[in-house]
């Protein structure tokens, strides 16, 4: 794998240890290495718990073929333990492809004694593990640090255990670990004690990520806002902050290895010490950037610190074109908040703004969609020094959120609103637009809302070639309804587990 040669490790690379684990990210190297969750597990296993960890990624080339690790080229099937890090439910089919392609029995209950123990974790599985729960011997529900000590001890002890029932029993005794073969429903998510752990951070730097050679560090977890559509905010519904000292100390430990730092959190601008953190990093001569910002909590001090070392862009998620709809979906930011944030960005020398929107939301009218164009047009006309990138996708209902029960809008409504949105944004100077595929969003809804029957759908759709019509046929054959029915009426079309 060519990207691999470009890597710079910030922690010691461990080639042997108490146990040997394949850590698999079910998407490409580029996506996986951009994800802090993978870095956290790699650091915990290899640095804190002395387990030799090799990474594997599932990219276009490796689809339906035996998967090999990038460290030693070993086959997945040669490991006694495979750990999947799964932040996005859209990657569920890649897990199935990886296992089938590697000749590993898909369902835990059918797996033979000499086959690997398969463990999963990550935000998507914490939100709704059910669609692929039957694959796993165990799933970590919540934050890795909260279970990793006990889990790594168990993994070490179980590496040569061949009786699967014994493996399940041992793993099910760990708080926060879901053993789908023994439990009807997942336990509550477990949270780490922020005072006792290190902020999650990059442990390998590479050009081949979304944030090339940028040291990512998490400054907070959870979120206080509970927007009605957001699974993360409703699952981890209390913001918890690392202190400025915790963050700055970690950055300074590795400071010579990079010149750019990305602060990661759903609530960057709500952190009570974010200005202190950003200023300290900028004063050390490093460029500071952030994930996305809530326009209503943004301060001038933070924007000034971000722009001090040349950060030139900012990301804001207005989600809708009207304040009425924003309020209805629980996102209480005003048009004025958005405009103020962009003015601050312009004042401090930034010149590019990313704006995220959704369409097909419950309570939405065509006028709400055309209002997105009006909002963006107004912003572009008033902030002439700015260029804008507008990204939009269809609303995908998420498990455990207040909007889950509304389901997804019908495909023809989504198609119409997507066209309306495009035409409302057409011809606005300095505005680039990208709209995600509606079909992909429908499949995402199948995975985000689905129950245990969905694994058979995935298996069947892959067997039929994986085209969109294969997915529709697989849903019809397996769930006895259409994909549209399933995503529009999630409550009535799902089996009760
Ligand atoms: S969308 Fe952002 S602000 Fe809203 S609940 Fe989710 S993480 Fe929090």
């Amino acid at each position: 794998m060519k990207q691999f040669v470009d890597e710079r490790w910030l922690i010691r690379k461990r080639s042997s240890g108490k146990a040997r684990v394949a850590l698999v990210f079910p998407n490409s190297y580029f996506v996986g290495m951009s994800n802090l969750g993978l870095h956290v597990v790699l650091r915990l296993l290899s640095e804190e718990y002395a387990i030799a960890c090799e990474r594997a990624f599932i990219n276009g080339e490796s689809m339906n073929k035996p998967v090999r690790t990038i460290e030693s080229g070993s086959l997945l099937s040669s490991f006694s333990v495979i750990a999947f890090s799964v932040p996005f439910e859209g990657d569920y089919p890649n897990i199935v492809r990886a296992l089938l392609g590697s000749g590993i029995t898909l369902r835990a209950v059918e797996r033979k004694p000499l086959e690997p123990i398969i463990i999963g974790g990550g935000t998507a599985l914490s939100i709704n593990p059910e669609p692929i729960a039957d694959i796993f011997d165990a799933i970590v529900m919540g934050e890795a640090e909260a279970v990793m000590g006990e889990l790594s001890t168990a993994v070490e002890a179980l590496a040569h255990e061949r009786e699967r029932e014994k493996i399940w029993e041992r793993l099910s005794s760990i708080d926060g670990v879901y053993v789908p073969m023994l439990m009807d429903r997942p336990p509550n998510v477990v949270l780490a004690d922020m005072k006792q752990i290190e902020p999650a951070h990059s442990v390998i730097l590479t050009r081949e990520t979304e944030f090339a050679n940028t040291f990512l560090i998490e400054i907070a977890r959870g979120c206080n806002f509970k927007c009605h559509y957001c699974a993360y905010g409703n699952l981890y519904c209390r913001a918890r902050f690392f202190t400025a000292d915790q963050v700055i100390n970690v950055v300074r430990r590795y400071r010579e290895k990079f010149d750019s730092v990305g602060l990661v959190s759903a609530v960057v601008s709500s952190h009570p010490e974010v200005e202190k953190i950003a200023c300290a990093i900028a004063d050390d001569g490093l460029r500071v950037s952030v994930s996305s910002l809530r326009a209503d909590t943004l301060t001038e001090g933070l924007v000034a610190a971000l722009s001090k070392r040349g950060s030139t862009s900012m990301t804001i998620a207005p989600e809708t074109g009207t304040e009425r709809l924003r309020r209805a979906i629980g996102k209480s930011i005003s048009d004025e908040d958005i405009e103020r944030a962009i003015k601050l960005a312009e004042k401090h020398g930034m010149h590019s703004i990313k704006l995220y929107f959704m369409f097909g939301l419950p309570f939405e009218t065509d006028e709400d969609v055309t209002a997105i164009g009006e909002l963006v047009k107004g912003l572009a006309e008033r902030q002439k020094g700015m260029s804008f990138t507008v990204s939009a996708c269809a609303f995908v209902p998420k498990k455990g959120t207040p909007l889950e029960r509304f389901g997804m809008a019908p495909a023809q409504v989504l198609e119409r609103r997507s066209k309306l949105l495009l035409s409302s944004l057409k011809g606005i100077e300095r505005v680039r637009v990208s709209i995600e595929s509606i079909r992909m969003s429908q499949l995402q809804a199948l995975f985000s809302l689905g129950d245990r029957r969905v694994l058979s759908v995935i298996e069947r759709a892959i067997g039929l070639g994986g085209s969109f019509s294969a997915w529709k046929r697989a849903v019809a054959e397996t769930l006895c309804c259409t994909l549209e029915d399933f995503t529009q009426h999630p409550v009535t079309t799902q089996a009760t587990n």
Side-chain angles (χ1 to χ4, degrees):
M1 182 172 274
K2 69 178 187 325
Q3 302 100 323
F4 188 34
V5 295
D6 170 53
E7 291 187 338
R8 280 176 298 137
W9 282 65
L10 304 182
I11 58 170
R12 189 168 76 85
K13 207 169 173 177
R14 182 181 291 281
S15 52
S16 63
K18 294 188 209 161
R20 192 166 158 260
V21 171
L23 176 59
V24 186
F25 191 89
N27 205 312
S28 65
Y29 178 93
F30 184 89
V31 177
M33 292 305 289
S34 306
N35 187 274
L36 260 191
L38 186 77
H39 291 254
V40 176
V41 177
L42 187 58
R43 183 183 70 76
L44 289 171
L45 287 177
S46 51
E47 201 173 60
E48 293 200 15
Y49 300 110
I51 287 179
C53 199
E54 298 192 22
R55 291 163 295 156
F57 300 89
I58 320 291
N59 55 26
E61 295 155 27
S62 61
M63 290 289 183
N64 306 322
K65 288 191 199 153
V67 175
R68 292 178 183 274
T69 60
I70 62 170
E71 272 79 10
S72 69
S74 302
L75 289 167
L76 271 199
S77 52
S78 71
F79 286 81
S80 52
V81 180
I82 301 174
F84 280 94
S85 174
V86 194
F88 314 115
E89 70 268 19
D91 290 336
Y92 286 174
N94 287 350
I95 297 173
V96 176
R97 287 188 183 102
L99 294 174
L100 294 178
S102 297
I104 298 169
T105 306
L106 192 59
R107 289 175 173 76
V109 73
E110 294 166 1
R111 221 167 281 134
K112 297 170 200 74
L114 286 175
E115 290 190 277
I117 298 171
I118 300 186
I119 297 173
T123 309
L125 290 176
S126 291
I127 292 166
N128 181 19
E130 292 308 303
I132 54 169
D134 284 341
I135 291 175
F136 295 97
D137 293 293
I139 298 173
V140 173
M141 299 296 295
E143 296 174 352
E145 296 92 337
V147 297
M148 203 55 96
E150 273 193 84
L151 189 59
S152 56
T153 306
V155 159
E156 193 188 336
L158 293 170
H160 302 291
E161 175 59 64
R162 295 296 158 232
E163 266 187 64
R164 228 151 260 277
E165 284 75 11
K166 283 197 181 155
I167 293 171
W168 297 336
E169 265 167 39
R170 174 73 179 84
L171 294 173
S172 67
S173 68
I174 303 171
D175 196 23
V177 169
Y178 177 35
V179 176
M181 293 309 107
L182 300 183
M183 302 171 172
D184 290 337
R185 61 187 63 239
N188 290 336
V189 293
V190 284
L191 305 179
D193 179 349
M194 304 284 273
K195 291 197 194 80
Q196 302 297 325
I197 62 168
E198 184 157 294
H201 61 81
S202 307
V203 294
I204 300 171
L205 297 175
T206 167
R207 276 198 307 266
E208 300 290 332
T209 73
E210 211 177 319
F211 321 96
N213 290 324
T214 295
F215 180 77
L216 299 179
I217 185 160
E218 191 185 30
I219 63 167
R221 292 184 180 181
C223 178
N224 289 333
F225 290 102
K226 278 192 167 187
C227 303
H228 301 339
Y229 55 87
C230 175
Y232 178 81
N234 284 278
L235 185 69
Y236 296 104
C237 50
R238 185 172 60 82
R240 295 170 296 136
F241 303 103
F242 289 106
T243 65
D245 286 346
Q246 279 177 297
V247 175
I248 294 164
N249 288 343
V250 174
V251 172
R252 287 187 176 153
R253 188 191 310 153
Y254 302 108
R255 192 235 159 292
E256 302 307 322
K257 314 272 186 185
F258 45 80
D259 53 20
S260 174
V261 176
L263 305 180
V264 178
S265 159
V267 285
V268 169
S269 45
S270 302
H271 192 300
E273 295 184 294
V274 67
E275 283 186 37
K276 181 176 172 188
I277 295 170
C279 288
I281 295 171
D283 288 345
D284 282 352
L286 299 165
R287 196 162 74 87
V288 195
S289 56
V290 295
S291 37
S292 78
L293 290 162
R294 277 223 24 146
D296 53 348
T297 51
L298 191 65
T299 62
E300 180 153 13
L302 176 58
V303 181
L306 294 177
S307 58
K308 193 168 177 178
R309 298 282 166 191
S311 224
T312 56
S313 71
M314 183 189 281
T315 301
I316 298 172
E319 311 294 4
T320 75
T322 61
E323 291 181 358
R324 178 201 69 81
L325 185 55
R326 237 173 269 142
R327 274 195 304 276
I329 62 166
K331 184 119 190 187
S332 54
I333 63 172
S334 65
D335 291 352
E336 203 183 314
D337 292 328
I338 297 164
E339 179 126 15
R340 186 187 68 91
I342 295 172
K343 277 187 177 148
L344 280 178
E346 190 173 40
K347 179 178 168 189
H348 288 276
M350 295 188 182
H351 48 71
S352 122
I353 298 287
K354 278 189 201 147
L355 297 169
Y356 286 113
F357 292 95
M358 289 185 282
F359 57 93
L361 283 153
F363 323 116
E364 181 185 271
T365 63
D366 287 355
E367 289 69 37
D368 290 305
V369 177
T370 49
I372 294 176
E374 287 154 25
L375 176 70
V376 174
K377 191 170 179 205
L379 293 170
E381 278 174 1
R382 289 187 291 278
Q383 271 73 55
K384 297 228 181 283
M386 286 288 185
S387 64
F388 294 82
T389 303
V390 173
S391 297
C393 61
F395 161 68
V396 174
K398 303 282 181 172
K399 204 82 175 168
T401 62
L403 296 190
E404 173 191 352
R405 69 193 167 91
F406 291 94
M408 209 171 175
Q412 69 271 24
V413 172
L414 294 173
E415 295 290 355
R416 193 182 72 245
R417 298 227 165 115
S418 164
K419 283 185 190 143
L420 263 180
L421 177 59
L422 261 183
S423 75
S424 77
L425 290 161
K426 202 169 168 194
I428 308 177
E429 274 183 42
R430 292 168 282 107
V431 174
R432 279 211 335 251
V433 183
S434 81
I435 298 187
E436 253 180 49
S437 147
I438 289 170
R439 290 178 167 190
M440 285 299 121
S441 299
Q442 286 179 308
L443 291 182
Q444 211 186 322
L446 172 70
F447 309 136
S448 82
L449 298 169
D451 52 45
R452 287 207 190 176
R453 297 171 300 160
V454 169
L455 182 58
S456 300
V457 177
I458 298 175
E459 211 179 354
R460 180 76 181 126
I462 290 172
L464 289 168
S467 64
F468 189 64
S469 52
W471 280 99
K472 285 169 80 165
R473 192 171 144 197
V475 170
E477 287 177 6
T478 315
L479 305 180
C480 302
C481 66
T482 64
L483 175 61
E484 278 218 15
D485 278 343
F486 190 87
T487 57
Q488 279 175 52
H489 312 289
V491 180
T492 50
T493 43
Q494 288 183 43
T496 42
N497 288 322

